[in-house]
Amino acid sequence: MSAVKVTDRSDRPAGTLTDGSRLPSLTGLRFVAAFLVFCFHISISGLLATSSTQHAFARTAGAGAVGVSFFFVLSGFVLTWSALPGDTARAFWRRRAAKIYPNYVVAFVISVVGLYATGHAVGFLVGAANLGLVQAWWPDPGVYFGANSVSWSLACEAFFYALFPALLPVLGRIRPQRLWASAAVCVAAVFAVPVAATFLPAERHYWFVYIFPPVRLLEFVLGILMALVVKSGRWPRIPVWSIAVLLVVAYAVTPYFPPDAETSAVTVIPFALLIPAVAVADVEGKRSVWRSRSAVWLGEISFAFYLIHQSVIVDVMRGLDAQGSGPAKAWTLIFGTLALSMVLAGLMHRFVEMPMMRRLGRRRTRHPA
């Protein structure tokens, strides 16, 4: 199995590996991960009350929370590829803030308004922790799931971004022949997390395994290592379809594993292999359904969709008293929440995310005095 050599073009914009080669398929796959999370939240919302329908949907969507793991691995991979030579930590943090924070604040405001409209107040601690992107550090579900419950993952991402300017030079010094071994150690650490959680009180297991930023950092670091593997020319020619099959199998068996293992450990290897395989396939110009115009657009709005969808689900459930609805009404509400979430996501991407990135995320050039 021969290795693939990909030219390092880290001086190019995010998602670009070689002249004229971008990573549109990874953008398209982002929406798939966000949609899995949407389906997971629908499966636990109580919208589908009939036992047979609920059981079938829950079996399919119950592992959808692993979509967050995909985002964490992908984040490390893409940020490593798009790292700019001579870039400063301050410039990097400014671009990341421009990308995530405006949409994040809009989604927070929408969630708070929705909660107040349905008679639920947001306390000062929850609000301050959310706006400060530190809610994931509290082992209290009332805090880390407070206000917009999905925002805990952005607190993890903020932690990753804070460390990335220091992490990349350190990991970049790993000898190429040791990168695969380093990735294996990282995967082993992910597997060890559920074991380590057994030493904590039972009520802390979920927070430690799924929410705690230093634990989720392992997946981000794994993404960095896989990007370095490809850039070093040590990526083997593994067909994307074979990894996709492995991922489908892992996803299907995830619900049969202990709860502490099913959030990321079962699917972390397929994710770590799929992301670089799809990236290399894009570089080589291979056909991919995920780089069609519609798939890429869905990927571009996926961040806003991820941020807003749970608030829409919660508001629909509370505003329409929808829990326990019959199948026809339940599916109508499900497709309605999906459509509304996508419309809001498109608006947020168009009128918040893109303008703020243009205004705040541009590279500043210094002119000689």
Side-chain angles (χ1 to χ4, degrees), residues 69-366:
S69 181
F70 174 86
F71 287 131
F72 289 163
V73 179
L74 179 67
S75 183
F77 186 93
V78 171
L79 288 179
T80 301
W81 274 121
S82 60
L84 302 168
D87 196 21
T88 64
R90 183 177 179 180
F92 169 78
W93 292 329
R94 186 186 70 247
R95 292 193 303 273
R96 288 292 87 200
K99 167 68 177 175
I100 71 167
Y101 203 66
N103 260 355
Y104 179 86
V105 171
V106 170
F108 171 78
V109 170
I110 291 174
S111 68
V112 170
V113 170
L115 287 170
Y116 272 100
T118 54
H120 296 79
V122 175
F124 175 80
L125 174 60
V126 171
N130 268 262
L131 290 175
L133 285 166
V134 294
Q135 66 271 41
W137 295 89
W138 265 267
D140 178 359
V143 177
Y144 61 71
F145 281 160
N148 186 11
S149 62
V150 300
S151 65
W152 69 267
S153 65
L154 274 300
C156 291
E157 289 280 4
F159 177 62
F160 305 162
Y161 299 158
L163 295 181
F164 182 73
L167 274 176
L168 184 58
V170 172
L171 296 175
R173 286 196 288 269
I174 298 174
R175 294 178 182 178
Q177 59 270 29
R178 294 181 179 176
L179 285 170
W180 275 109
S182 300
V185 170
C186 202
V187 169
V190 173
F191 289 163
V193 166
V195 179
T198 62
F199 294 96
L200 298 174
E203 64 273 15
R204 295 285 187 261
H205 286 195
Y206 181 82
W207 168 75
F208 179 77
V209 172
Y210 191 60
I211 306 291
F212 192 39
V215 166
R216 303 314 297 262
L217 180 67
L218 293 170
E219 292 146 275
F220 180 77
V221 169
L222 181 60
I224 295 175
L225 291 171
M226 297 313 296
L228 294 174
V229 165
V230 180
K231 292 174 76 172
S232 70
R234 293 178 177 270
W235 177 255
R237 291 186 178 275
I238 307 175
V240 173
W241 67 263
S242 64
I243 303 173
V245 170
L246 176 63
L247 177 58
V248 169
V249 172
Y251 182 89
V253 302
T254 291
Y256 298 97
F257 280 77
D260 288 345
E262 66 182 18
T263 53
S264 59
V266 183
T267 52
V268 70
I269 292 177
F271 284 151
L273 295 176
L274 180 68
I275 290 168
V278 169
V280 170
D282 267 356
V283 170
E284 295 180 340
K286 295 180 179 178
R287 294 180 62 184
S288 169
V289 66
W290 303 113
R291 64 168 174 255
S292 67
R293 180 174 297 181
S294 57
V296 171
W297 180 80
L298 287 172
E300 289 173 344
I301 71 166
S302 63
F303 174 56
F305 175 82
Y306 174 80
L307 283 175
I308 200 65
H309 78 273
Q310 178 67 341
S311 292
V312 173
I313 293 172
V314 170
D315 290 343
V316 166
M317 292 289 296
R318 289 174 175 164
L320 300 180
D321 193 20
Q323 189 156 3
S325 301
K329 180 181 179 181
W331 283 110
T332 300
L333 291 174
I334 288 170
F335 284 111
T337 57
L338 176 61
L340 180 56
S341 297
M342 292 182 65
V343 168
L344 290 174
L347 292 173
M348 289 167 64
H349 174 71
R350 174 67 178 84
F351 295 106
V352 180
E353 184 176 341
M354 291 178 63
M356 296 306 289
M357 285 183 65
R358 284 194 296 266
R359 176 171 295 187
L360 303 177
R362 291 178 299 181
R363 295 184 69 186
R364 297 177 181 174
T365 41
R366 294 184 177 180

